[in-house]
Amino acid sequence: MESPTLAFFLIFFANLLVLMRVFSLTPQKNDFLECLTDQFESSYSVIYTPNNASYASIFQPDNLRPASTSPYKPLLILTPFYESEIQAAIYCSKKLGIQIRVRSGGHDYEGLSYTCENPFVVVDMRNFRSISIDSEEKTAWVQVGATLGQLYYALAQKSRTLAFTAGVCPTVGVGGHFSGGGYGMMSRKHALAADHIIDAILINANGQVLDRKSMGEDLFWAIRGGGGTSFGIILAFKVDLVTVPETVTVFNISRTLEQNATQVVHKWQYIADKIDENLFIRIFMISVSSPTNYRNRTIAASFESLFLGRTHDLLPLMQEKFPQLGLVEKDCLEMSWIESVLFFAGLHNQPLDALLSRTPQASFTQNYFKGKSDYVRQPIPMHALRRIWGFLNEEAENMAELQFSPYGGVLNSFSESETPFPHRSGNIFMIHYVVRWDREGNAESERYINLIRRIYSYMAPYVTKSPRAAYVNYRDLDIGMNNQGNNNTSYEQASVWGFKYFKNNFDRLVRVKSQTDPLNIFRNEQSIPPLPESTSWQIIPRANVLTE
Ligand code: FDA
């Protein structure tokens, strides 16, 4: 054999050996399965592998956008029933270096509970969904896999006046929602879901099951608004419930540009956060066909409202503070609080058990979507509102939407550092930008995502600055991301997005993370990073942190 051929074969076999080694070292599904089996001599409750017929229906991504671009699908989906099964998953994740993604309701805007840039397994908490209500004490233990609809339904079974303050969409999961704040129609009166958490059960990176007492007040502070994922797997929250009147009033009235929508939206900014805290009025703005000329497009601004009282008290209040809307008695509907939950969920007049479904209505997500958020402290001038209408009219009807959600009321009575959620006094309202589409394709996605980014960019002068604040539950990877592959995110890098979500609370979150999960077992693209051991506690002064 001639020497060049020999050299070729030697190189070929060397490469083959390297490849074989790489593949045998890359932890795979079977390693995880073996590890779990070692932990459980009998068998783990339910594990879905890609070979199972029901894997696809269990995987079912809420937002197809991140799912369609993710390089991996979960190696396994675990749907544990017992704490010990979650402990085993954490153990195997550490042992094999395979990341865990935790999913409760699966509504993460960027799909971080079911996508990952590295091989990963999903711990899906759907079987941890029991709800235990103490009507006397006005408290409830709610497991994280329950949805908001299931919680509201359970409350309605107990009493007409026992309620909870959290988000509007019934299929949102308690686990992610409470972890990031949880804002809804009663937030001006009763603040956020996270503001009502009085105890919790969490499994930490060492597999210990902790409650409020054993986790300590720092960690307990961090999990009440610091975003899901970073501090462990939460199993349940204990919350203080709220009391509502037997009868509440709702309305949803729309004004187009021909009906002075611009002036009415403009005026709303002067009353939204200051009006009686029993009254919550938010606005949805979309592009629609003009009612006067079908060839033209206009903007419909829908004013959706919950008043914790009767119509006869609402009308004089509106007449005094917001006559521009022109609310009249026939616009108002009186009902119980739980009926109002159905009303705002788009399930008006449907039976109560519609709240138990875990499948979102198509209109809520429309398969592919991208969201962003902002906070407003000074009213947006009329000319800027008109420019926003121009953006909304660029795409087909109903594809892009802006929501203005009022702040003020009891949200102002919390200091910025009381919980990790810092968006308190001084905010008039939050903007939620969302764009939805229903067809796959890069060109399609790019066009819509580009539109929402252009609106967001245009809005910069009119919203909070240094940092440009954002709501962690409307997760947006455009505002910054951790390194993925090498688990090596610096404090500086995470600060770019971290101060936007948490303002100065970010530093305390980093300290709690460094103490509780120094190896960064629980991580994703926007999880709180631990400080490297050598630099523990040496946080860089705020002024050196890059923010938009
Ligand atoms: P998901 O399971 O995807 O979890 C979200 C994040 O938390 C992920 O990073 C996940 O890993 C982590 N996580 C989940 N469970 C965990 C656990 N047990 N332990 C540790 N980490 C965990 N928000 C709002 O404030 N008010 C509203 O009215 C609405 N409405 C709304 C409607 C619709 C249609 C959507 C898609 C979203 C909303 N949201 C919202 C936003 C919602 O609050 C946010 O997406 C929540 O994080 C969703 O929580 P899930 O448990 O459903 O998501």
Side-chain angles (χ1 to χ4, degrees):
M1 202 181 273
E2 285 181 30
S3 59
T5 321
L6 180 65
F8 170 80
F9 276 110
L10 283 176
I11 291 167
F12 176 79
F13 279 116
N15 283 336
L16 194 64
L17 281 175
V18 169
L19 276 176
M20 283 166 65
R21 190 167 159 69
V22 166
F23 277 108
S24 68
L25 287 180
T26 305
Q28 292 296 333
K29 156 186 112 201
N30 289 345
D31 300 315
F32 211 97
L33 278 174
E34 254 171 48
C35 177
L36 288 176
T37 318
D38 285 351
Q39 299 296 302
F40 288 89
E41 275 165 18
S42 52
S43 70
Y44 200 90
S45 288
V46 191
I47 301 176
Y48 299 87
T49 74
N51 305 332
N52 293 131
S54 39
Y55 175 89
S57 64
I58 289 288
F59 177 51
Q60 196 170 39
D62 185 54
N63 183 358
L64 293 177
R65 175 181 56 83
S68 64
T69 53
S70 174
Y72 294 100
K73 281 209 164 58
L75 296 172
L76 303 170
I77 302 175
L78 318 177
T79 54
F81 282 89
Y82 306 104
E83 286 172 4
S84 53
E85 295 176 317
I86 300 171
Q87 290 169 312
I90 296 172
Y91 171 83
C92 296
S93 157
K94 282 164 71 172
K95 183 175 170 200
L96 300 169
I98 294 182
Q99 257 186 268
I100 285 183
R101 294 281 157 125
V102 189
R103 177 164 74 172
S104 287
H107 278 31
D108 190 287
Y109 271 35
E110 299 282 2
L112 300 192
S113 54
Y114 51 87
T115 61
C116 185
E117 292 200 0
N118 306 300
F120 71 112
V121 300
V122 168
V123 174
D124 186 310
M125 300 296 289
R126 67 184 65 204
N127 295 322
F128 276 73
R129 58 167 186 267
S130 81
I131 297 169
S132 155
I133 297 168
D134 185 333
S135 312
E136 291 280 292
E137 200 189 42
K138 294 198 171 71
T139 60
W141 270 107
V142 191
Q143 287 190 323
V144 290
T147 61
L148 299 185
Q150 288 163 353
L151 171 59
Y152 298 150
Y153 177 92
L155 287 167
Q157 302 302 305
K158 293 278 177 184
S159 139
R160 192 175 161 105
T161 56
L162 214 48
F164 191 62
T165 174
V168 175
C169 172
T171 55
V172 165
V174 161
H177 185 69
F178 288 20
S179 297
Y183 172 95
M185 300 299 286
M186 295 200 292
S187 286
R188 298 194 63 247
K189 172 76 174 183
H190 294 297
L192 310 173
D195 296 331
H196 288 262
I197 298 172
I198 52 174
D199 205 339
I201 308 288
L202 165 147
I203 304 189
N204 71 8
N206 296 327
Q208 294 163 305
V209 183
L210 306 173
D211 65 2
R212 175 175 184 168
K213 196 156 174 246
S214 50
M215 77 176 78
E217 285 303 302
D218 266 347
L219 181 51
F220 183 63
W221 173 85
I223 60 171
R224 287 175 294 147
T229 296
S230 304
F231 304 99
I233 300 186
I234 298 166
L235 307 187
F237 290 109
K238 184 178 185 186
V239 291
D240 259 337
L241 301 171
V242 305
T243 309
V244 290
E246 293 226 348
T247 304
V248 303
T249 306
V250 304
F251 66 80
N252 185 352
I253 53 178
S254 185
R255 297 285 178 259
T256 62
L257 298 185
E258 295 76 3
Q259 297 165 314
N260 283 338
T262 312
Q263 289 76 2
V264 185
V265 171
H266 187 254
K267 172 66 188 175
W268 171 88
Q269 302 179 92
Y270 291 87
I271 58 103
D273 62 318
K274 295 174 195 70
I275 207 161
D276 185 330
E277 63 193 28
N278 288 302
L279 178 56
F280 177 103
I281 310 172
R282 65 174 179 167
I283 320 178
F284 293 80
M285 285 143 288
I286 52 168
S287 168
V288 294
S289 310
S290 165
T292 50
N293 179 349
Y294 73 93
R295 267 180 295 205
N296 286 349
R297 296 274 289 284
T298 185
I299 296 297
S302 300
F303 293 80
E304 190 177 74
S305 174
L306 171 67
F307 178 59
L308 295 168
R310 307 289 301 259
T311 307
H312 58 72
D313 292 323
L314 171 63
L315 287 171
L317 181 61
M318 287 292 286
Q319 187 51 39
E320 186 195 340
K321 304 284 184 194
F322 195 23
Q324 294 78 0
L325 186 61
L327 185 77
V328 293
E329 190 168 356
K330 73 173 172 40
D331 297 323
C332 302
L333 291 173
E334 290 193 337
M335 54 183 65
S336 66
W337 170 77
I338 196 68
E339 286 162 346
S340 82
V341 168
L342 287 165
F343 179 85
F344 297 119
L347 300 168
H348 188 36
N349 287 334
Q350 293 207 25
L352 219 54
D353 57 15
L355 293 174
L356 299 177
S357 165
R358 296 183 75 88
T359 314
Q361 290 168 278
S363 62
F364 265 101
T365 53
Q366 230 165 336
N367 297 337
Y368 297 80
F369 67 94
K370 167 79 188 159
K372 300 176 84 65
S373 61
D374 257 323
Y375 282 89
V376 178
R377 290 174 161 252
Q378 297 292 331
I380 300 169
M382 210 95 86
H383 68 85
L385 291 176
R386 290 200 183 95
R387 180 67 193 99
I388 297 172
W389 310 154
F391 282 117
L392 295 180
N393 277 334
E394 274 184 30
E395 285 297 343
E397 282 193 25
N398 210 3
M399 302 306 272
E401 177 181 273
L402 253 63
Q403 295 169 14
F404 289 177
S405 294
Y407 269 55
V410 77
L411 287 166
N412 289 354
S413 64
F414 289 74
S415 77
E416 283 197 357
S417 58
E418 205 157 329
T419 71
F421 180 95
H423 315 293
R424 306 289 183 167
S425 197
N427 291 299
I428 305 176
F429 61 100
M430 171 175 64
I431 305 181
H432 179 211
Y433 310 79
V434 60
V435 63
R436 308 179 176 98
W437 63 103
D438 55 10
R439 266 177 311 199
E440 190 162 3
N442 287 344
E444 198 91 0
S445 305
E446 256 174 48
R447 204 173 84 216
Y448 293 115
I449 294 174
N450 196 21
L451 171 66
I452 201 174
R453 286 183 180 148
R454 284 191 295 120
I455 307 179
Y456 183 78
S457 161
Y458 172 78
M459 291 302 288
Y462 308 110
V463 298
T464 51
K465 293 165 197 65
S466 300
R468 183 168 181 177
Y471 176 33
V472 67
N473 267 352
Y474 293 153
R475 191 188 300 288
D476 177 10
L477 294 181
D478 291 355
I479 67 170
M481 263 167 80
N482 298 340
N483 286 338
Q484 278 310 290
N486 57 9
N487 180 17
N488 185 21
T489 286
S490 69
Y491 168 84
E492 289 85 342
Q493 187 173 356
S495 299
V496 175
W497 57 265
F499 279 95
K500 290 174 182 158
Y501 287 147
F502 307 115
K503 297 193 175 176
N504 291 332
N505 295 329
F506 181 65
D507 283 348
R508 185 169 173 197
L509 289 169
V510 171
R511 283 200 292 272
V512 177
K513 174 75 176 184
S514 307
Q515 283 171 332
T516 56
D517 182 19
L519 299 178
N520 207 14
I521 302 301
F522 300 113
R523 63 181 187 275
N524 65 27
E525 289 78 345
Q526 281 184 343
S527 56
I528 307 291
L531 291 171
E533 217 178 322
S534 55
T535 59
S536 276
W537 314 116
Q538 292 173 21
I539 282 177
I540 292 153
R542 177 79 186 85
N544 297 342
V545 170
L546 173 70
T547 54
E548 193 178 332

